[in-house]
Amino acid sequence: MSQPDPDYVDDPTIEDDSPLWRRIPPKHFVYDENLQCRRASSAAFSDNPKDKSPMSVVLGDEVLAASRTAESVLEGHEGFGLVSFLAGLARQFKQGIMRKPLDEEPAHAEVFGEKTRGVRRAFAKNCQWVIRMPDGEQDQPPP
Amino acid sequence: MTTAVLESSTGSEALWNRPTRPGRHRGLGPKELSVLAYIASVEQGGTFWFGGYGFSCEQPIPTWARGLLRKISELGDLEEDWDSYGAQPIDPRCAVTAAEIILNLMDSEMPAPSIVPTTGGGVQLEWHRAGADLEIEIQSPTKVEVFFEDGRTGEEKELNLSVNFVPLLPLLHRVTQAD
């Protein structure tokens, strides 16, 4: 279920050039020999499998406007990386973005809409690093 | 390649269920157990754990596959919410299917895939090389989604497989080609 709540409405105040940040766990980094770089796997961009809520992101502009750092988004998540993609990219793939502030993360938002493989691959291939994960084996092609 | 066997499923220390989190990893059948024995053989006959299960086996696996199966076995350590967004523990049956694909369809000449856990408890094998992308997502032992894209020709292919994984062979050969 990618859009569990009919009240989910795309928020026009989140502009197309707004960066959406998402944490990437170490197991979700892959080496892309075609691109000659390490990037996030398409598997990293999915809705919450437990409660079926839409994919969580953090509004990067709001984090910085609150005088916070990108590193603060990774607090308590050792080894994780942080990637960014634009709200406009999500909308190109029929996704909407809605603010869902949490006590622990006021800049939290959700990206709702069906996460087809095409959508997940688009996020994976077009996201940019905000914070790279620490160097590790995934810096290299699989042995 | 399914010649490795469990030493015993009952009455010995070769195989046992370790107390584990309630509701996890129930209902493994003999087929899954025998393939998990392959994974166990990564440890060369020692005891091996995947999630809540311990295994021992007799026959070694091919050298080229050991590192890959070890990576699969490591996925058994992932706890719920391992991605911080509600990800589920990896279903051992998906790990078994991933191992089957590797052992039955790959050989020492093929490049190793990235082995990626999926948030729903599955396993994804990925190749991104030779101008092509191949993603094999094992959602359950009988539900395998495949995506292939050839950047040189523009060809795209999506497959939904259940039991017969032979259609993967030409795609594996394609990503094996030299750059």
Side-chain angles (χ1 to χ4, degrees):
Chain A
M1 194 74 173
S2 54
Q3 193 168 342
D5 186 336
D7 292 335
Y8 272 85
V9 176
D10 190 23
D11 185 341
T13 68
I14 302 171
E15 297 183 359
D16 280 350
D17 61 357
S18 298
L20 308 179
W21 293 352
R22 184 164 167 89
R23 288 188 299 272
I24 304 294
K27 294 285 187 193
H28 272 168
F29 288 90
V30 297
Y31 186 81
D32 190 321
E33 209 169 310
N34 297 322
L35 301 176
Q36 293 288 303
C37 69
R38 189 174 51 157
R39 64 169 173 81
S41 164
S42 61
F45 301 92
S46 60
D47 295 333
N48 185 320
K50 187 175 182 185
D51 64 13
K52 310 302 180 192
S53 60
M55 185 175 83
S56 286
V57 292
V58 170
L59 300 173
D61 287 344
E62 293 196 3
V63 170
L64 299 177
S67 299
R68 295 170 56 201
T69 62
E71 284 78 6
S72 69
V73 178
L74 293 183
E75 278 176 13
H77 301 287
E78 190 177 350
F80 281 52
L82 189 67
V83 296
S84 174
F85 58 96
L86 296 180
L89 175 71
R91 291 186 174 115
Q92 280 177 33
F93 286 88
K94 299 181 180 175
Q95 308 289 299
I97 304 105
M98 190 170 180
R99 287 183 170 80
K100 288 275 183 177
L102 303 172
D103 290 343
E104 65 275 20
E105 181 48 86
H108 181 256
E110 291 178 347
V111 178
F112 60 93
E114 188 180 2
K115 303 296 182 299
T116 63
R117 183 163 298 274
V119 171
R120 288 182 279 131
R121 280 174 49 79
F123 289 158
K125 288 211 157 190
N126 292 289
C127 65
Q128 306 290 322
W129 290 105
V130 179
I131 300 173
R132 293 177 65 92
M133 70 177 288
D135 288 344
E137 64 183 41
Q138 284 143 320
D139 274 332
Q140 303 298 326
Chain B
M1 286 184 63
T2 52
T3 55
V5 294
L6 294 170
E7 290 174 3
S8 171
S9 59
T10 57
S12 83
E13 295 181 354
L15 168 68
W16 67 93
N17 290 342
R18 180 173 62 174
T20 185
R21 290 174 287 282
R24 287 191 63 205
H25 310 338
R26 296 182 190 280
L28 289 180
K31 176 186 172 191
E32 286 81 20
L33 293 175
S34 70
V35 180
L36 273 177
Y38 268 115
I39 301 176
S41 67
V42 170
E43 301 301 327
Q44 301 261 19
T47 302
F48 172 83
W49 294 95
F50 187 94
Y53 290 85
F55 299 91
S56 179
C57 66
E58 296 167 346
Q59 293 194 335
I61 58 169
T63 306
W64 61 265
R66 289 181 185 163
L68 294 174
L69 298 196
R70 183 174 290 113
K71 286 186 176 178
I72 292 175
S73 74
E74 289 171 1
L75 303 184
D77 296 333
L78 294 175
E79 305 274 355
E80 185 171 311
D81 200 34
W82 52 265
D83 72 340
S84 81
Y85 293 121
Q88 300 298 295
I90 302 308
D91 185 335
R93 297 171 305 166
C94 294
V96 165
T97 305
E100 281 186 320
I101 289 172
I102 288 170
L103 291 167
N104 292 332
L105 299 182
M106 287 182 63
D107 60 42
S108 61
E109 302 302 312
M110 290 182 176
S114 295
I115 294 169
V116 178
T118 67
T119 59
V123 177
Q124 184 160 293
L125 307 177
E126 299 187 28
W127 290 260
H128 306 286
R129 68 180 309 280
D133 294 302
L134 174 61
E135 296 183 359
I136 301 172
E137 182 185 357
I138 300 143
Q139 299 175 352
S140 80
T142 55
K143 188 174 182 188
V144 176
E145 250 186 41
V146 181
F147 177 84
F148 171 77
E149 181 178 16
D150 189 330
R152 294 174 182 166
T153 64
E155 178 192 10
E156 282 191 19
K157 194 174 278 190
E158 291 188 52
L159 304 172
N160 289 294
L161 306 178
S162 55
V163 178
N164 177 16
F165 299 140
V166 171
L168 292 173
L169 271 174
L171 306 181
L172 289 168
H173 286 131
R174 171 60 185 84
V175 294
T176 301
Q177 289 177 5
D179 286 318

